[in-house]
């Protein structure tokens, strides 16, 4: 069990890639793949329904007895799953042909009540109906057979789960019982003696035929070279990791991480070469080869433990921990991590050695009990190190204490539960707890290391054109890519965790198959493939729409006589139409029947009528604005007491930039239903009114002449029509005049007024014409009331 679980972990590596490869490359032997339609029976690679019925009846008999072993049930399940998958694929048989026939039948329409079809049409309808029934037969038979096969697989899984549960809680003789020790010692000594005996016998044979020295020389040379390669490669890689290789901080982080990963696999490569040489030497027999072949895995466990130590519990004050631990915690946790790797390597070697013997289960439990106890102690120490909080001065992305507490306490609990179950005699339960717990902790550590790599690269991303050092935070401007990549890493790790904790590869394949099959909404089958097809077609249509809009904006519309507002309306309309058509075509290509969504559309219409009426009103108003174009971008308008320039018209609202450079968002419904003043609609010509007051007694004729000259002298004032000066009223304090002039651009009305006021002040001052201001004389009717009687003052 230990050997199998650790082999699974080493093969899976850094979290999920190997599982994806397994899913891709998996093949079921003798699986019926291609479905051939027959008018009499459903054919699967030459195997018809009679073969399936016979096999299903046999399987049902085995399941009903309930006495089959785990091996027999697994084998039966392996033969059943290909049938189930083939029937699942067969449910799509003749779909295209059936749709054609159904369209032909629908083309005749429906008869009025009491009417009859003509003879020719009735005969044709009967012929099409018979054809439809015949084409539907394989689908119906496949659906029934799939339901039967799927039900049998479920029953087999239930019995397998019951057997595994029973085995998990089966208690054997306790390995702590001293009575079991002599047999276990005898078995392990016998296994070692077998290795020595095989080696001695082969040594004598090679000494007899004269090849002993050549073989020994090759074996020793391979051992020396492999050892030197392992130590040299790791030392050299450590030196490279300390150098800043890469042109940017992000690349330096990535290269350092890659070098650290190579520190694991490069020595394993050297050990693999050593194994090949030792195997070819011929010195080792069956038992010895079992130990030799396990060398790369055992060495890989040690190297991997050191990799985790360097990441989480680095030795040295100049090294940074992923979780920000201080030196005391790093020293304690690093020692326990490396020792755990060594114990696991020894456990793998013991399992490989004992696999060549016929030792009893209780003997294996006795041999594994010390290993279980050591693993439990080391897991307790590692858990205690995990719960430690980061040093205050450390730089880390992870400072949440409750997560550390959860992981650390769970590690300690599992470290105690495994050895405790082993001592009580639950060997299967102990093996199902301890090793999966260690492997899960290693996988979690790997996932967090990858997560930290992504976050560190994001924190090193250039900000405002300059590189920055990481401060334990992620740059918000780095986008969503860190979240997406970390999400993918987590998703890939989920099936790995499931496999470690007892899920079989076939179970995972079943889940993957069901996922690919998708689910039904009405008569529409929604699957990942159809979803990806929809996304691909829609994105393609969206990009094509963008190209068309860009071409209209830069090449086509500028050559027309449309004004800027009309061009924007055409571009916006093309964009909305393109998106709508892209969605419609994507639904059609993906095979999603929109008619099945009629109920959902009805429910949405009710919701729109009650809760979204304002949004719909603004949307419709936006379409009206784009079509009728009462206002356009760049127009100066006044609406709801706000005056400014139209900067953007969207389907829901319009953005107006006021004269103080603030943006005002106006709902489109207000622009359509309310009163809007457009100062620049059609042209920019507008009128400026300048009000002027002069003192009573002034020469009004001269005032009129001066104001007329000022108006005509301004370059922005048009002479056709000619500006006019009017005496408007006799005010309380002044005689009020107005200059009324048409200017070339109403956007400069305030500038024109300012220039005229400056000129008026200058000319009036030269002509001694007074511009009055309000003055009041106050008369007290009874001033004596202000002084009380007898007041001398």
């Amino acid at each position: 069990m230990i050997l199998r679980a650790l082999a699974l972990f080493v093969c899976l590596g850094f979290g999920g890639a190997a599982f994806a490869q397994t899913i891709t490359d998996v093949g079921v032997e003798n699986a019926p793949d291609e479905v051939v339609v027959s008018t009499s029976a459903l054919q699967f690679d030459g195997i018809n329904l009679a073969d399936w019925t016979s096999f299903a009846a046999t399987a049902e008999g085995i399941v009903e007895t309930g006495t089959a072993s785990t091996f027999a049930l697994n084998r039966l399940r392996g033969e059943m799953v290909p049938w189930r998958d083939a029937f699942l694929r067969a449910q799509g048989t003749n779909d295209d042909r059936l749709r054609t026939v159904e369209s032909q039948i629908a083309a005749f329409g429906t008869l009025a009540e009491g009417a009859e079809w003509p003879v020719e049409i009735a005969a044709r309808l009967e012929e099409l109906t018979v054809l439809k029934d015949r084409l539907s037969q394989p689908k119906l038979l496949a659906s029934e057979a799939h339901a039967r096969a799927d039900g049998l697989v479920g029953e087999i899984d239930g019995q397998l789960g019951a057997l595994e549960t029973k085995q998990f809680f089966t208690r054997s003789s306790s390995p702590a019982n001293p009575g079991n020790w002599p047999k276990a010692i005898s078995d392990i000594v016998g296994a070692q003696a077998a290795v020595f005996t095989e080696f001695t016998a082969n040594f004598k044979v090679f000494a007899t035929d004269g090849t002993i020295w050549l073989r020994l020389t090759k074996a020793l040379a391979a051992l020396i070279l492999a050892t030197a390669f392992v130590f040299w490669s790791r030392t050299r890689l450590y030196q490279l990791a300390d150098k800043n290789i890469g042109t940017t901080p992000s690349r330096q982080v990535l290269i350092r991480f890659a070098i650290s990963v190579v520190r694991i696999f490069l020595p394993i490569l050297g050990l693999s070469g050593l194994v090949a040489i030792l195997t070819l030497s011929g010195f080792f027999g069956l038992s010895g080869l079992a130990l030799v072949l396990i060398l790369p895995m055992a060495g890989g466990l040690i190297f991997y433990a050191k990799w985790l130590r360097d990441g989480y519990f680095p030795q040295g004050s100049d090294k940074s921990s992923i979780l920000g631990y201080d030196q005391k915690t790093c020293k304690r946790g690093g020692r326990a991590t490396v020792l755990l790797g060594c114990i696991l390597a020894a456990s793998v070697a013991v399992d490989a050695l004992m696999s060549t013997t016929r030792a009893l289960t209780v003997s294996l439990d006795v041999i594994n009990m010390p290993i279980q106890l050591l693993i439990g102690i080391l897991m307790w120490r590692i858990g205690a190190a995990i719960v430690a909080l980061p040093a205050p001065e450390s730089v880390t992305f992870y400072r949440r204490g409750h997560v550390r507490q959860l992981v650390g306490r769970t590690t300690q609990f599992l470290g105690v539960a495994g050895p405790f179950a082993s001592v009580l005699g639950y060997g299967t339960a102990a093996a199902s707890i301890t090793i999966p717990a260690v492997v899960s902790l290693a996988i979690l550590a790997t996932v967090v290391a990858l997560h930290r790599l992504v976050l560190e690269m994001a924190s090193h991303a250039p900000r405002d054109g300059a590189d920055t050092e990481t401060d334990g935070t992620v740059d918000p401007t780095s986008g969503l890519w860190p979240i997406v990549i970390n999400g993918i890493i987590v998703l890939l790790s989920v099936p790995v965790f499931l496999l470690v904790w007892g899920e079989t590869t076939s179970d995972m394949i079943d889940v993957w198959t069901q996922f690919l099959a998708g689910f039904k909404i009405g008569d529409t089958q929604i699957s990942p493939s159809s979803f990806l097809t929809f996304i691909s077609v829609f994105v393609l249509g969206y990009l094509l729409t963008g190209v068309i809009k860009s071409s209209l904006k830069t090449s086509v519309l500028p050559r027309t006589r449309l004004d800027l507002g009309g061009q924007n309306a055409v571009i916006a309309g093309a964009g909305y139409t393109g998106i709508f058509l892209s969605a419609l075509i994507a639904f059609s290509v993906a095979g999603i029947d929109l008619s099945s969504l009629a109920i959902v559309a009805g429910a949405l219409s009710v919701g729109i009528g009650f809760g979204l009426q304002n949004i719909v009103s603004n949307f419709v108003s936006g379409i009206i604005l784009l079509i009728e174009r009462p206002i356009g971008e760049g127009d100066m308008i006044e609406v709801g007491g706000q005056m400014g320039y139209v900067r953007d018209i969207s389907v829901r609202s319009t953005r107006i930039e006021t004269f103080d450079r603030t943006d005002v968002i106006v709902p489109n419904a207000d622009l359509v239903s309310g009163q809007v003043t457009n100062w620049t609609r059609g042209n920019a010509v507008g009128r400026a009114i300048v009000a002027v007051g002069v003192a009573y007694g002034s020469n009004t004729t001269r005032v009129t002449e001066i104001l007329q000259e000022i108006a005509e002298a301004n370059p922005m004032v048009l002479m056709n029509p000619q500006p006019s000066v009017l005496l408007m009223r006799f005010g309380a304090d002044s005689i009020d005049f107005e200059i009324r002039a048409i200017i070339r651009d109403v956007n400069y009305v305030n500038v024109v007024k300012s220039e005229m006021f400056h000129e008026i002040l200058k000319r009036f001052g030269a002509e001694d014409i007074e511009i009055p201001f309000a003055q009041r004389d106050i008369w007290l009717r009874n001033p004596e009331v202000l002084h009380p009687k007898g007041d001398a003052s």
Side-chain angles (χ1 to χ4, degrees):
M1 177 66 186
I2 295 176
L3 180 60
R4 186 165 59 251
L6 290 174
L8 172 64
F9 167 66
V10 173
C11 292
L12 290 175
F14 283 86
F19 171 73
Q21 183 67 24
T22 301
I23 294 298
T24 304
D25 296 339
V26 70
V28 182
E29 187 177 359
N30 298 325
D33 294 328
E34 185 178 357
V35 178
V36 181
V37 182
S38 174
T39 56
S40 58
L42 211 61
Q43 300 287 335
F44 300 95
D45 282 345
I47 303 175
N48 57 28
L49 283 179
D51 297 326
W52 156 248
T53 303
S54 176
F55 172 73
T58 303
E60 288 170 347
I62 295 174
V63 172
E64 288 174 1
T65 59
T67 58
S69 63
T70 301
F71 174 79
L73 289 173
N74 279 320
R75 181 174 180 179
L76 181 62
R77 191 185 190 281
E79 296 176 357
M80 183 68 67
V81 168
W83 280 105
R84 184 190 63 180
D85 296 342
F87 286 128
L88 179 63
R89 292 191 299 269
Q91 292 182 26
T93 304
N94 299 333
D95 277 348
D96 295 337
R97 188 76 185 98
L98 274 171
R99 280 193 289 269
T100 302
V101 174
E102 289 172 352
S103 299
Q104 289 178 266
I105 296 175
F108 288 107
T110 56
L111 278 174
E113 186 177 356
E116 293 183 358
W117 291 112
V119 177
E120 294 82 359
I121 296 179
R124 181 56 178 164
L125 278 174
E126 183 178 0
E127 180 182 350
L128 291 174
T129 304
V130 172
L131 178 59
K132 177 184 175 181
D133 294 340
R134 182 169 63 84
L135 293 172
S136 302
Q137 180 183 359
K139 291 174 60 70
L140 297 175
L141 293 173
S143 298
E144 184 274 333
H146 176 267
R148 187 179 185 183
D150 191 56
L152 285 172
V153 171
E155 294 179 37
I156 294 172
D157 288 340
Q159 292 191 10
L160 282 172
L163 289 174
E164 291 175 357
T165 303
K166 181 179 179 181
Q167 186 179 8
F168 185 87
F169 290 103
T170 299
R171 184 173 182 270
S172 59
S173 179
S174 173
N177 184 359
N180 296 323
W181 295 356
K183 176 60 176 171
I185 295 174
S186 174
D187 288 338
I188 194 169
V189 170
Q192 295 173 359
V195 174
F196 181 76
T197 301
E198 292 172 352
F199 182 85
T200 304
N202 291 331
F203 188 88
K204 291 179 180 180
V205 171
F206 298 144
T208 303
D209 61 16
T211 61
I212 182 63
W213 296 111
L214 179 62
R215 293 176 181 272
L216 280 176
T217 302
K218 290 182 178 180
L220 290 175
L223 179 60
I224 294 172
L225 289 175
T227 305
F229 178 77
V230 168
F231 284 99
W232 174 85
S233 62
R234 288 182 60 80
T235 303
R236 181 58 180 161
L237 290 172
Y238 272 112
Q239 294 174 351
L240 285 176
D242 293 335
K243 297 180 180 179
N244 291 328
I245 304 175
T247 56
T248 62
S250 297
R251 291 182 181 178
Q252 292 173 6
V253 170
L254 183 60
I255 292 174
R256 281 198 297 267
F257 183 82
I259 292 174
S260 69
V261 173
V262 175
R263 282 204 303 264
I264 302 174
F265 291 103
L266 200 59
I268 294 177
L269 182 62
L271 291 177
S272 300
L274 174 62
V275 168
I277 300 279
L278 293 179
T279 302
L280 294 175
S281 68
F283 282 111
F284 301 96
L286 180 62
S287 301
L289 280 178
L291 287 175
V292 170
L293 294 175
I294 212 66
L295 278 177
M297 179 181 292
L301 290 172
I302 298 175
F303 299 141
Y304 186 77
K306 290 185 176 181
W307 182 79
L308 292 177
R309 189 263 322 262
D310 294 339
Y312 289 89
F313 308 108
Q315 308 301 301
S317 58
D318 59 333
K319 305 293 184 180
S320 61
S321 169
I322 292 178
L323 298 180
Y325 293 126
D326 56 26
Q327 283 301 304
K328 182 179 179 181
T329 304
C330 288
K331 186 176 180 180
R332 183 173 65 250
R335 186 186 303 113
T337 302
V338 175
L339 286 176
L340 181 59
C342 295
I343 295 298
L344 291 175
S347 173
V348 170
V350 170
D351 281 353
L353 179 63
M354 299 306 297
S355 64
T356 61
T357 67
R358 296 184 178 181
L360 298 176
T361 302
V362 65
S363 297
L364 297 177
D365 291 342
V366 171
I367 295 171
N368 285 323
M369 185 180 67
I371 297 176
Q372 292 272 356
L373 292 174
L374 289 174
I375 292 176
I377 293 172
L378 294 173
M379 288 184 66
W380 181 272
R381 292 184 177 180
I382 292 175
I386 292 175
V387 299
L389 293 177
E393 70 279 1
S394 64
V395 177
T396 177
F397 295 99
Y398 313 99
R399 292 189 174 273
R400 296 184 179 180
H402 62 277
V403 178
R404 298 169 185 256
Q405 291 286 329
L406 176 62
V407 176
R409 299 308 178 194
T410 302
T411 301
Q412 290 181 316
F413 171 76
L414 295 175
V416 172
F420 185 73
S422 176
V423 171
L424 292 180
Y426 296 97
T428 303
S432 301
I433 294 174
T434 304
I435 298 304
V438 174
V439 176
S440 297
L441 185 61
I443 295 174
L444 180 61
T446 303
V447 171
V448 174
L450 293 173
H451 185 268
R452 185 242 195 173
L453 170 66
V454 175
L455 294 182
E456 194 171 12
M457 292 181 65
S459 66
H460 277 300
R463 304 180 189 179
D464 298 330
D467 294 339
T468 59
E469 294 296 330
T470 178
D471 56 357
T473 60
V474 180
D475 182 13
T477 63
S478 60
L480 290 176
W481 69 266
I483 299 176
V484 173
I485 294 178
N486 285 326
I488 293 174
I489 293 173
V490 172
L491 288 177
L492 290 176
S493 68
V494 170
V496 183
F497 280 110
L498 294 177
L499 288 172
V500 169
W501 285 98
E503 289 292 332
T504 62
T505 305
S506 58
D507 293 335
M508 302 304 298
I509 294 174
D510 289 346
V511 173
W512 183 253
T513 303
Q514 294 297 324
F515 173 74
L516 292 179
F519 57 92
K520 278 191 174 183
I521 299 180
D523 295 331
T524 302
Q525 184 77 17
I526 305 297
S527 64
S529 59
S530 61
F531 178 75
L532 291 176
T533 301
F534 172 81
I535 294 296
S536 300
V537 174
F538 180 77
V539 170
L540 182 62
Y542 183 82
L543 295 176
L544 182 61
T545 301
V547 172
I548 295 175
K549 288 174 61 178
S550 178
S551 300
L552 288 174
K553 184 176 182 180
T554 59
S555 302
V556 179
L557 294 178
R559 301 174 182 271
T560 64
R561 297 182 179 180
L562 286 175
D563 57 11
L564 181 61
Q567 294 180 17
N568 291 332
V570 172
I571 294 172
Y576 300 141
T577 304
I579 293 175
F580 176 75
L581 292 178
S582 298
L584 199 63
I585 295 172
F587 276 117
S588 177
V589 173
I592 301 175
D593 187 8
L594 297 179
S595 62
S596 60
L597 302 178
I599 298 178
V600 178
L604 286 176
S605 63
V606 175
I608 290 173
F610 286 97
L612 304 178
Q613 53 184 347
N614 290 333
I615 296 177
V616 175
S617 175
N618 289 325
F619 180 83
V620 174
S621 299
I623 300 299
I624 294 174
L625 290 177
L626 291 174
I627 294 175
E628 294 186 355
R629 295 184 289 117
I631 61 174
E633 292 185 14
D635 288 354
M636 186 172 68
I637 67 172
E638 183 177 359
V639 57
Q642 297 290 340
M643 187 174 182
Y645 296 99
V646 177
R647 295 306 184 195
D648 180 63
I649 302 175
S650 63
V651 293
R652 192 195 67 83
S653 61
T654 297
R655 181 169 63 89
I656 300 174
E657 181 183 329
T658 62
F659 298 118
D660 56 1
R661 300 297 182 182
T662 59
D663 285 344
V664 178
I665 308 301
V666 180
N668 288 334
D670 294 348
L671 298 174
V672 173
S673 60
Q675 182 176 351
V676 180
T677 302
N678 192 334
W679 294 95
T680 57
R681 179 62 179 168
N683 56 69
V685 175
R687 186 172 68 173
I689 298 177
V690 180
V692 182
V694 297
Y696 280 96
S698 301
N699 187 344
T700 58
T701 302
R702 182 57 183 161
V703 169
T704 302
E705 293 174 353
I706 294 173
L707 295 179
Q708 186 73 29
E709 293 173 359
I710 291 174
E712 293 179 355
N714 194 287
M716 291 295 294
V717 175
L718 296 177
M719 292 297 102
N720 186 18
Q722 189 176 12
S724 60
V725 177
L726 303 176
L727 194 158
M728 299 301 297
R729 68 185 65 81
F730 296 104
D733 305 298
S734 63
I735 303 173
D736 298 330
F737 290 83
E738 279 187 3
I739 301 176
R740 296 189 175 187
I742 303 300
I743 61 177
R744 303 177 188 277
D745 193 340
V746 74
N747 294 299
Y748 295 93
V749 61
N750 291 324
V751 176
V752 171
K753 288 182 178 181
S754 176
E755 293 175 350
M756 288 186 178
F757 281 136
H758 280 292
E759 191 66 22
I760 288 171
L761 287 174
K762 180 180 178 181
R763 294 290 300 275
F764 280 10
E767 300 280 347
D768 292 330
I769 299 175
E770 180 183 359
I771 299 177
F773 54 90
Q775 299 182 53
R776 297 291 183 269
D777 293 333
I778 300 176
W779 294 84
L780 296 179
R781 192 169 189 179
N782 299 311
E784 63 275 5
V785 300
L786 296 176
H787 305 285
K789 293 181 179 180
D791 190 352
S793 60

